[in-house]
Coordinates of all heavy atoms in Angstrom, one line a residue:
N1 N 12.7 32.0 -0.6 CA 14.0 31.4 -0.5 C 13.9 30.2 0.4 O 14.3 30.3 1.6 CB 15.0 32.4 0.0 CG 16.4 31.8 -0.1 OD1 16.6 30.9 -0.7 ND2 17.3 32.4 0.7
Q2 N 13.3 29.1 0.0 CA 13.1 28.0 0.8 C 14.3 27.0 0.8 O 14.7 26.7 -0.3 CB 11.8 27.3 0.4 CG 11.0 26.8 1.7 CD 9.6 26.6 1.4 OE1 9.2 26.6 0.2 NE2 8.8 26.3 2.3
V3 N 14.8 26.7 1.9 CA 15.8 25.7 1.9 C 15.3 24.3 2.0 O 14.4 24.0 2.7 CB 16.7 26.0 3.2 CG1 17.9 25.0 3.3 CG2 17.2 27.4 3.2
A4 N 15.9 23.5 1.1 CA 15.5 22.1 1.1 C 16.0 21.5 2.4 O 17.2 21.5 2.7 CB 16.2 21.3 -0.1
D5 N 15.1 21.0 3.2 CA 15.4 20.7 4.6 C 15.0 19.2 4.8 O 13.8 18.9 4.7 CB 14.6 21.6 5.4 CG 15.1 21.6 6.8 OD1 16.2 21.1 7.1 OD2 14.3 22.2 7.7
P6 N 15.9 18.4 5.2 CA 15.5 17.0 5.4 C 14.6 16.9 6.6 O 14.8 17.5 7.6 CB 16.9 16.3 5.7 CG 17.7 17.4 6.3 CD 17.3 18.7 5.5
V7 N 13.6 16.1 6.4 CA 12.6 15.9 7.4 C 13.1 14.9 8.4 O 13.4 13.8 8.0 CB 11.2 15.5 6.8 CG1 10.2 15.2 7.9 CG2 10.7 16.6 5.9
A8 N 13.2 15.3 9.6 CA 13.9 14.4 10.6 C 13.0 13.2 11.0 O 13.5 12.2 11.3 CB 14.3 15.2 11.8
L9 N 11.8 13.5 11.0 CA 10.9 12.4 11.6 C 9.9 12.1 10.5 O 9.5 12.9 9.7 CB 10.1 13.0 12.8 CG 11.1 13.3 14.0 CD1 10.3 13.9 15.1 CD2 11.7 12.0 14.5
P10 N 9.4 10.8 10.6 CA 8.4 10.4 9.6 C 7.1 11.2 9.8 O 6.7 11.5 10.9 CB 8.2 8.9 9.8 CG 8.8 8.7 11.2 CD 9.8 9.7 11.5
I11 N 6.4 11.4 8.7 CA 5.1 12.1 8.8 C 4.0 11.1 8.9 O 3.9 10.1 8.1 CB 4.9 13.0 7.5 CG1 6.0 14.0 7.4 CG2 3.6 13.6 7.5 CD1 6.0 15.0 8.6
V12 N 3.2 11.3 9.9 CA 2.0 10.4 10.1 C 0.8 11.2 10.1 O 0.8 12.4 10.2 CB 2.2 9.6 11.4 CG1 3.4 8.7 11.4 CG2 2.2 10.6 12.6
P13 N -0.3 10.5 9.9 CA -1.6 11.3 9.8 C -1.9 11.9 11.2 O -1.5 11.4 12.3 CB -2.7 10.3 9.5 CG -1.9 9.0 9.2 CD -0.6 9.1 9.7
C14 N -2.6 13.0 11.2 CA -3.0 13.7 12.4 C -3.8 12.7 13.3 O -4.8 12.1 12.8 CB -3.8 14.9 12.1 SG -4.5 15.7 13.5
P15 N -3.4 12.6 14.5 CA -4.2 11.7 15.4 C -5.6 12.2 15.7 O -6.4 11.4 16.1 CB -3.3 11.6 16.7 CG -2.6 12.9 16.7 CD -2.3 13.3 15.2
D16 N -5.8 13.4 15.5 CA -7.2 13.9 15.8 C -8.1 13.9 14.7 O -9.3 13.6 14.9 CB -7.0 15.4 16.3 CG -6.2 15.5 17.6 OD1 -6.2 14.5 18.3 OD2 -5.7 16.6 17.9
C17 N -7.7 14.2 13.5 CA -8.6 14.2 12.4 C -8.2 13.4 11.2 O -9.0 13.2 10.3 CB -8.8 15.7 12.0 SG -7.4 16.4 11.1
G18 N -7.0 12.9 11.2 CA -6.6 12.0 10.2 C -6.0 12.7 8.9 O -5.6 12.0 8.0
R19 N -5.9 14.0 8.9 CA -5.4 14.7 7.8 C -3.8 14.6 7.9 O -3.2 14.2 8.8 CB -5.8 16.1 7.8 CG -7.2 16.3 7.4 CD -7.6 17.7 7.5 NE -9.1 17.9 7.6 CZ -9.8 18.6 6.7 NH1 -9.2 19.2 5.7 NH2 -11.0 18.7 6.8
R20 N -3.2 15.0 6.8 CA -1.7 14.9 6.7 C -1.2 16.0 7.7 O -1.7 17.1 7.9 CB -1.3 15.3 5.4 CG 0.2 14.9 5.1 CD 0.7 15.6 3.8 NE -0.1 15.1 2.7 CZ 0.5 14.7 1.5 NH1 1.8 14.8 1.4 NH2 -0.2 14.3 0.5
V21 N -0.1 15.6 8.4 CA 0.6 16.5 9.2 C 1.7 17.1 8.3 O 2.4 16.4 7.5 CB 1.2 15.7 10.4 CG1 2.2 16.6 11.2 CG2 0.1 15.3 11.4
V22 N 2.0 18.3 8.5 CA 3.0 19.0 7.8 C 4.1 19.5 8.7 O 3.8 19.7 9.9 CB 2.4 20.2 6.9 CG1 1.6 19.7 5.8 CG2 1.7 21.1 7.8
T23 N 5.3 19.7 8.3 CA 6.3 20.2 9.1 C 7.0 21.5 8.6 O 7.1 21.6 7.4 CB 7.4 19.0 9.3 OG1 8.5 19.5 10.1 CG2 8.0 18.6 7.9
F24 N 7.4 22.3 9.6 CA 8.0 23.5 9.2 C 9.1 23.8 10.2 O 9.1 23.1 11.2 CB 7.0 24.7 9.3 CG 5.8 24.6 8.4 CD1 4.6 24.1 8.8 CD2 6.0 25.0 7.1 CE1 3.6 24.0 8.0 CE2 4.9 24.9 6.2 CZ 3.6 24.4 6.7
V25 N 9.9 24.8 9.9 CA 11.0 25.3 10.8 C 10.6 26.6 11.2 O 10.4 27.5 10.3 CB 12.3 25.1 10.2 CG1 13.4 25.7 11.2 CG2 12.7 23.7 9.9
A26 N 10.5 26.9 12.5 CA 10.2 28.3 12.9 C 11.3 29.2 12.4 O 12.5 28.9 12.5 CB 10.1 28.3 14.4
R27 N 10.9 30.4 11.9 CA 11.8 31.3 11.4 C 12.1 32.5 12.3 O 13.0 33.2 12.1 CB 11.3 31.8 10.0 CG 11.3 30.7 8.9 CD 10.7 31.3 7.7 NE 11.0 30.3 6.6 CZ 12.0 30.4 5.8 NH1 12.9 31.3 6.0 NH2 12.2 29.5 4.9
T28 N 11.2 32.7 13.2 CA 11.3 33.9 14.0 C 11.0 33.4 15.5 O 10.5 32.4 15.7 CB 10.4 35.0 13.6 OG1 9.1 34.6 13.7 CG2 10.7 35.5 12.2
G29 N 11.3 34.4 16.4 CA 10.9 34.1 17.7 C 11.9 33.3 18.6 O 13.0 32.9 18.0
Q30 N 11.5 33.0 19.7 CA 12.5 32.3 20.6 C 12.7 30.8 20.1 O 13.7 30.2 20.6 CB 11.9 32.2 22.0 CG 10.6 31.5 22.2 CD 10.1 31.4 23.6 OE1 11.0 31.2 24.5 NE2 8.9 31.7 23.9
F31 N 11.9 30.4 19.2 CA 12.1 29.0 18.7 C 12.6 28.9 17.3 O 12.5 27.9 16.6 CB 10.7 28.2 18.8 CG 10.2 28.0 20.2 CD1 9.1 28.7 20.6 CD2 10.9 27.1 21.0 CE1 8.7 28.5 21.9 CE2 10.4 26.9 22.3 CZ 9.3 27.6 22.7
E32 N 13.2 30.0 16.9 CA 13.8 30.0 15.6 C 14.7 28.9 15.3 O 15.6 28.6 16.1 CB 14.5 31.4 15.4 CG 15.2 31.5 14.0 CD 15.9 32.8 13.8 OE1 15.9 33.6 14.8 OE2 16.4 33.1 12.7
G33 N 14.5 28.3 14.2 CA 15.4 27.1 13.8 C 14.8 25.8 14.4 O 15.3 24.7 14.0
E34 N 13.8 25.9 15.2 CA 13.3 24.6 15.7 C 12.2 24.1 14.8 O 11.4 24.8 14.3 CB 12.6 24.9 17.1 CG 13.6 25.4 18.1 CD 14.3 24.2 18.8 OE1 13.7 23.1 18.8 OE2 15.4 24.4 19.3
R35 N 12.2 22.8 14.6 CA 11.2 22.2 13.7 C 9.9 21.9 14.5 O 10.0 21.5 15.6 CB 11.8 20.9 13.1 CG 10.8 20.2 12.2 CD 11.4 18.9 11.6 NE 12.5 19.4 10.6 CZ 12.2 19.8 9.4 NH1 11.0 19.9 8.9 NH2 13.2 20.2 8.6
F36 N 8.8 22.1 13.8 CA 7.6 21.7 14.4 C 6.7 21.0 13.4 O 6.9 21.1 12.2 CB 6.9 22.9 15.1 CG 6.5 24.0 14.1 CD1 5.2 24.1 13.5 CD2 7.4 25.0 13.8 CE1 4.9 25.0 12.6 CE2 7.0 26.1 12.9 CZ 5.8 26.0 12.3
Y37 N 5.7 20.4 13.9 CA 4.8 19.6 13.1 C 3.4 20.0 13.5 O 3.1 20.1 14.6 CB 5.0 18.1 13.4 CG 6.4 17.6 13.1 CD1 7.4 17.9 13.9 CD2 6.6 16.9 11.9 CE1 8.7 17.5 13.6 CE2 7.9 16.4 11.6 CZ 8.9 16.8 12.5 OH 10.2 16.4 12.2
K38 N 2.6 20.2 12.5 CA 1.2 20.5 12.8 C 0.3 19.9 11.8 O 0.7 19.6 10.6 CB 1.0 22.0 12.9 CG 1.1 22.7 11.5 CD 0.8 24.2 11.6 CE 0.7 24.9 10.3 NZ 0.3 26.3 10.4
C39 N -1.0 19.8 12.2 CA -2.0 19.3 11.3 C -2.2 20.3 10.2 O -2.2 21.5 10.4 CB -3.3 19.1 12.1 SG -4.6 18.4 11.1
R40 N -2.5 19.7 9.0 CA -2.8 20.5 7.9 C -4.1 21.4 8.1 O -4.3 22.4 7.5 CB -3.0 19.6 6.7 CG -2.6 20.2 5.3 CD -2.8 19.1 4.3 NE -2.4 19.6 3.0 CZ -2.6 18.9 1.9 NH1 -3.2 17.7 2.0 NH2 -2.3 19.3 0.7
N41 N -4.9 20.8 8.9 CA -6.1 21.5 9.3 C -6.1 22.3 10.6 O -7.0 22.7 11.1 CB -7.2 20.4 9.5 CG -8.6 21.0 9.5 OD1 -8.9 21.9 8.9 ND2 -9.5 20.3 10.3
H42 N -4.8 22.6 10.9 CA -4.6 23.3 12.2 C -5.2 24.7 12.2 O -4.8 25.5 11.4 CB -3.1 23.4 12.5 CG -2.8 24.1 13.8 ND1 -2.5 25.4 13.9 CD2 -2.8 23.6 15.1 CE1 -2.3 25.7 15.2 NE2 -2.5 24.6 15.9
N43 N -6.2 24.9 12.9 CA -6.9 26.2 13.0 C -7.9 26.2 14.1 O -9.1 26.3 14.0 CB -7.6 26.4 11.7 CG -8.0 27.9 11.5 OD1 -7.7 28.7 12.4 ND2 -8.5 28.2 10.3
P44 N -7.3 26.0 15.4 CA -8.2 25.8 16.5 C -9.1 27.0 16.8 O -10.2 26.8 17.4 CB -7.2 25.6 17.7 CG -5.9 26.1 17.2 CD -5.9 26.0 15.7
K45 N -8.8 28.2 16.3 CA -9.6 29.3 16.6 C -10.9 29.3 15.7 O -11.8 30.0 16.0 CB -8.9 30.6 16.3 CG -7.8 30.9 17.4 CD -7.0 32.1 17.1 CE -5.9 32.4 18.2 NZ -5.1 33.5 17.8
K46 N -10.8 28.5 14.6 CA -12.0 28.4 13.8 C -12.6 27.0 13.7 O -13.1 26.6 12.7 CB -11.6 28.9 12.4 CG -11.3 30.4 12.4 CD -11.1 30.9 11.0 CE -10.8 32.4 11.0 NZ -10.5 33.0 9.6
G47 N -12.4 26.3 14.7 CA -13.0 25.0 14.8 C -12.2 23.9 14.1 O -12.6 22.8 14.0
G48 N -11.0 24.3 13.7 CA -10.1 23.3 13.0 C -9.4 22.4 14.1 O -9.8 22.5 15.3
C49 N -8.4 21.7 13.6 CA -7.7 20.8 14.5 C -6.7 21.6 15.3 O -6.2 22.6 14.9 CB -7.1 19.8 13.6 SG -6.3 18.4 14.5
D50 N -6.3 21.0 16.5 CA -5.3 21.7 17.3 C -4.1 20.9 17.4 O -3.3 21.2 18.4 CB -5.9 22.1 18.6 CG -6.2 20.9 19.5 OD1 -6.1 19.8 19.0 OD2 -6.5 21.1 20.7
F51 N -3.8 20.0 16.5 CA -2.6 19.2 16.6 C -1.4 20.0 16.2 O -1.3 20.5 15.0 CB -2.7 17.9 15.8 CG -1.5 17.0 15.9 CD1 -1.3 16.2 17.0 CD2 -0.6 17.1 14.9 CE1 -0.2 15.4 17.1 CE2 0.6 16.3 15.0 CZ 0.8 15.5 16.1
Y52 N -0.5 20.2 17.1 CA 0.6 21.1 16.9 C 1.7 20.7 17.9 O 1.4 20.7 19.0 CB 0.2 22.5 17.1 CG 1.3 23.6 16.7 CD1 1.2 24.4 15.6 CD2 2.4 23.7 17.6 CE1 2.1 25.4 15.4 CE2 3.4 24.7 17.3 CZ 3.2 25.5 16.2 OH 4.2 26.5 15.9
R53 N 2.9 20.2 17.3 CA 3.9 19.7 18.2 C 5.2 20.2 17.8 O 5.6 20.2 16.7 CB 3.9 18.2 18.2 CG 2.6 17.5 18.6 CD 2.5 17.6 20.1 NE 1.3 16.7 20.5 CZ 0.0 17.2 20.6 NH1 -0.2 18.4 20.2 NH2 -0.9 16.4 21.0
W54 N 6.0 20.6 18.8 CA 7.5 20.7 18.5 C 8.1 19.4 18.3 O 7.5 18.3 18.7 CB 8.1 21.5 19.7 CG 7.6 22.9 19.7 CD1 6.7 23.4 20.6 CD2 7.9 24.0 18.9 NE1 6.5 24.7 20.4 CE2 7.2 25.1 19.3 CE3 8.8 24.1 17.8 CZ2 7.3 26.3 18.6 CZ3 8.9 25.3 17.2 CH2 8.2 26.5 17.6
E55 N 9.2 19.4 17.7 CA 9.8 18.1 17.2 C 9.9 17.1 18.4 O 9.7 15.9 18.2 CB 11.2 18.3 16.6 CG 11.8 17.1 16.0 CD 12.9 17.4 15.1 OE1 13.8 18.1 15.5 OE2 12.8 16.9 14.0
E56 N 10.3 17.6 19.5 CA 10.5 16.7 20.6 C 9.2 16.0 21.0 O 9.1 14.8 21.2 CB 11.1 17.4 21.8 CG 11.4 16.6 23.0 CD 12.1 17.4 24.1 OE1 12.6 18.5 23.8 OE2 12.1 16.9 25.2
A57 N 8.1 16.8 21.1 CA 6.8 16.3 21.4 C 6.3 15.4 20.4 O 5.6 14.4 20.6 CB 5.9 17.4 21.8
Y58 N 6.6 15.7 19.1 CA 6.1 14.9 18.0 C 6.8 13.6 18.0 O 6.2 12.5 17.7 CB 6.4 15.7 16.7 CG 5.9 15.0 15.4 CD1 4.5 15.0 15.1 CD2 6.8 14.3 14.6 CE1 4.1 14.3 14.0 CE2 6.3 13.7 13.5 CZ 4.9 13.7 13.2 OH 4.5 13.0 12.1
A59 N 8.1 13.6 18.4 CA 8.8 12.3 18.5 C 8.2 11.4 19.6 O 8.1 10.2 19.4 CB 10.3 12.6 18.8
E60 N 7.8 12.1 20.6 CA 7.0 11.3 21.6 C 5.8 10.7 21.1 O 5.3 9.6 21.5 CB 6.8 12.2 22.9 CG 8.1 12.5 23.6 CD 7.8 13.4 24.8 OE1 6.6 13.7 25.1 OE2 8.8 13.9 25.4
H61 N 5.1 11.5 20.3 CA 3.8 11.1 19.7 C 4.1 9.8 18.8 O 3.4 8.9 18.9 CB 3.2 12.2 18.9 CG 2.1 11.7 18.0 ND1 0.9 11.2 18.5 CD2 2.0 11.7 16.6 CE1 0.2 10.8 17.5 NE2 0.8 11.1 16.3
L62 N 5.2 10.0 18.0 CA 5.5 8.8 17.1 C 5.8 7.6 18.0 O 5.4 6.5 17.6 CB 6.7 9.2 16.3 CG 6.5 10.2 15.2 CD1 7.8 10.5 14.5 CD2 5.5 9.8 14.2
A63 N 6.6 7.8 19.0 CA 6.9 6.7 19.9 C 5.7 6.0 20.5 O 5.6 4.8 20.6 CB 7.8 7.1 21.0
S64 N 4.7 6.8 20.8 CA 3.4 6.3 21.3 C 2.7 5.5 20.4 O 1.8 4.7 20.7 CB 2.6 7.5 21.9 OG 1.9 8.2 20.8
L65 N 2.9 5.7 19.1 CA 2.3 5.0 18.0 C 2.9 3.6 17.8 O 2.3 2.7 17.2 CB 2.4 5.7 16.7 CG 1.7 7.0 16.6 CD1 2.0 7.6 15.2 CD2 0.2 6.9 16.8
G66 N 4.1 3.4 18.4 CA 4.7 2.1 18.2 C 5.7 2.2 17.1 O 5.7 3.1 16.3
P67 N 6.5 1.2 17.0 CA 7.6 1.1 16.0 C 7.1 0.9 14.5 O 7.8 1.1 13.6 CB 8.5 0.0 16.4 CG 7.5 -0.9 17.2 CD 6.5 0.0 17.8
T68 N 5.8 0.6 14.4 CA 5.3 0.2 13.0 C 4.2 1.2 12.6 O 3.2 0.8 12.1 CB 4.8 -1.2 13.0 OG1 3.8 -1.3 14.0 CG2 5.9 -2.2 13.2
A69 N 4.5 2.5 12.8 CA 3.5 3.5 12.3 C 3.4 3.4 10.8 O 4.4 3.2 10.2 CB 4.0 4.9 12.7
P70 N 2.3 3.4 10.3 CA 2.1 3.3 8.9 C 2.8 4.4 8.1 O 2.5 5.6 8.4 CB 0.6 3.3 8.7 CG 0.0 4.0 9.9 CD 1.0 3.7 11.0
P71 N 3.5 4.1 7.1 CA 4.0 5.1 6.2 C 2.9 5.9 5.5 O 1.9 5.3 5.2 CB 4.9 4.4 5.3 CG 4.5 3.0 5.3 CD 3.8 2.8 6.6
L72 N 3.2 7.1 5.2 CA 2.1 7.9 4.6 C 1.7 7.4 3.3 O 0.5 7.6 2.9 CB 2.7 9.4 4.5 CG 1.7 10.5 4.1 CD1 0.6 10.6 5.2 CD2 2.4 11.8 3.9
A73 N 2.6 6.7 2.6 CA 2.2 6.3 1.3 C 1.1 5.3 1.3 O 0.4 5.1 0.3 CB 3.5 5.6 0.7
Q74 N 0.8 4.6 2.4 CA -0.2 3.7 2.4 C -1.6 4.3 2.8 O -2.6 3.6 2.8 CB 0.1 2.6 3.5 CG 1.2 1.6 3.0 CD 1.5 0.6 4.0 OE1 0.7 0.5 5.0 NE2 2.5 -0.2 3.8
I75 N -1.5 5.5 3.1 CA -2.8 6.2 3.5 C -3.5 6.8 2.4 O -3.0 7.5 1.6 CB -2.4 7.2 4.6 CG1 -1.8 6.5 5.8 CG2 -3.6 8.0 5.0 CD1 -1.0 7.5 6.7
N76 N -4.7 6.5 2.3 CA -5.5 7.1 1.2 C -5.9 8.5 1.5 O -6.7 8.8 2.4 CB -6.8 6.2 1.1 CG -7.6 6.7 -0.1 OD1 -7.3 7.6 -0.8 ND2 -8.8 6.2 -0.3
L77 N -5.3 9.4 0.9 CA -5.5 10.8 1.1 C -6.7 11.3 0.3 O -7.1 12.5 0.5 CB -4.3 11.6 0.8 CG -3.1 11.2 1.7 CD1 -1.8 11.9 1.1 CD2 -3.3 11.7 3.1
G78 N -7.2 10.5 -0.6 CA -8.3 11.0 -1.3 C -8.0 12.1 -2.3 O -8.8 12.9 -2.7
E79 N -6.7 12.2 -2.7 CA -6.3 13.3 -3.5 C -6.1 12.8 -5.0 O -5.6 13.5 -5.8 CB -5.1 13.9 -3.0 CG -5.3 14.7 -1.7 CD -4.1 15.3 -1.2 OE1 -3.0 15.0 -1.7 OE2 -4.2 16.0 -0.2
N80 N -6.3 11.6 -5.2 CA -6.0 11.0 -6.5 C -7.2 10.4 -7.2 O -7.2 9.2 -7.5 CB -4.8 10.0 -6.5 CG -5.0 9.0 -5.5 OD1 -6.0 9.0 -4.7 ND2 -4.1 8.0 -5.4
E81 N -8.3 11.1 -7.3 CA -9.4 10.6 -7.9 C -9.2 10.3 -9.4 O -8.5 11.1 -10.0 CB -10.6 11.6 -7.7 CG -11.0 11.8 -6.3 CD -12.1 12.7 -6.1 OE1 -12.9 12.7 -7.0 OE2 -12.2 13.4 -5.1
V82 N -9.8 9.2 -9.8 CA -9.6 8.8 -11.2 C -10.9 8.9 -11.9 O -11.9 8.6 -11.5 CB -9.0 7.4 -11.2 CG1 -8.8 6.9 -12.6 CG2 -7.7 7.3 -10.4
G83 N -10.7 9.2 -13.2 CA -11.9 9.2 -14.1 C -12.7 10.4 -14.0 O -12.4 11.4 -13.4
G84 N -13.8 10.3 -14.7 CA -14.8 11.4 -14.6 C -14.4 12.7 -15.3 O -14.9 13.7 -15.0
G85 N -13.5 12.6 -16.2 CA -13.0 13.9 -16.9 C -14.0 14.3 -18.0 O -14.1 13.9 -18.9
G86 N -14.8 15.3 -17.8 CA -15.8 15.6 -18.8 C -15.3 15.9 -20.2 O -15.7 16.9 -20.8
Q87 N -14.5 15.0 -20.8 CA -14.1 15.3 -22.1 C -14.8 14.4 -23.1 O -14.2 13.6 -23.8 CB -12.6 15.1 -22.2 CG -11.8 16.0 -21.3 CD -10.3 15.8 -21.4 OE1 -9.9 15.0 -22.2 NE2 -9.5 16.4 -20.6
G88 N -16.1 14.5 -23.2 CA -16.8 13.6 -24.0 C -16.8 14.0 -25.5 O -17.8 14.1 -26.2
G89 N -15.7 14.2 -26.1 CA -15.6 14.6 -27.5 C -15.9 13.3 -28.4 O -15.4 12.3 -28.2
Q90 N -16.7 13.6 -29.4 CA -17.0 12.5 -30.3 C -16.4 12.8 -31.6 O -16.4 13.9 -32.1 CB -18.5 12.3 -30.5 CG -19.2 11.7 -29.3 CD -20.7 11.5 -29.5 OE1 -21.3 12.1 -30.4 NE2 -21.3 10.6 -28.7
L91 N -15.9 11.7 -32.2 CA -15.3 11.9 -33.6 C -16.2 11.5 -34.7 O -16.8 10.5 -34.6 CB -14.0 11.0 -33.6 CG -12.9 11.5 -32.6 CD1 -11.7 10.6 -32.7 CD2 -12.4 12.9 -33.0
Ligands
ZN101 ZN1 -5.8 17.2 12.6

């Protein structure tokens, strides 16, 4: 039962590893209802990235990037590879 939730802050690439940052809202605990942002690769216990920010800290991170942070759309995520479909059917 996921609520469509407007993302308050722009999503920028992880400053540590360049992967996409994802945002969630905490559902339990003392921070219930608070939005946070973390690296898609967040997994510091297994050698992954440790980028994880509550909204306030993430806003500060954005501010540190300056007013012209690149929109995600311009970033090559490498997820849209073209061609190479092994459908070599001959008629
Ligand atoms: Zn990262």
Side-chain angles (χ1 to χ4, degrees):
N1 185 21
Q2 219 161 8
V3 180
D5 195 14
V7 175
L9 295 172
I11 297 299
V12 297
C14 173
D16 292 339
C17 72
R19 291 177 196 238
R20 192 194 300 222
V21 169
V22 291
T23 178
F24 300 98
V25 175
R27 291 176 169 269
T28 59
Q30 63 175 317
F31 294 109
E32 182 178 358
E34 297 277 333
R35 180 175 292 282
F36 62 93
Y37 299 75
K38 70 174 186 175
C39 180
R40 214 177 178 187
N41 190 36
H42 181 263
N43 199 353
K45 289 179 182 173
K46 293 188 177 178
C49 188
D50 69 351
F51 183 78
Y52 186 108
R53 298 286 186 276
W54 293 102
E55 185 161 53
E56 186 176 339
Y58 184 75
E60 290 177 8
H61 167 65
L62 290 179
S64 75
L65 296 176
T68 56
L72 191 63
Q74 288 182 8
I75 296 162
N76 182 5
L77 296 172
E79 291 178 353
N80 52 354
E81 294 181 33
V82 178
Q87 298 180 5
Q90 286 185 339
L91 295 174

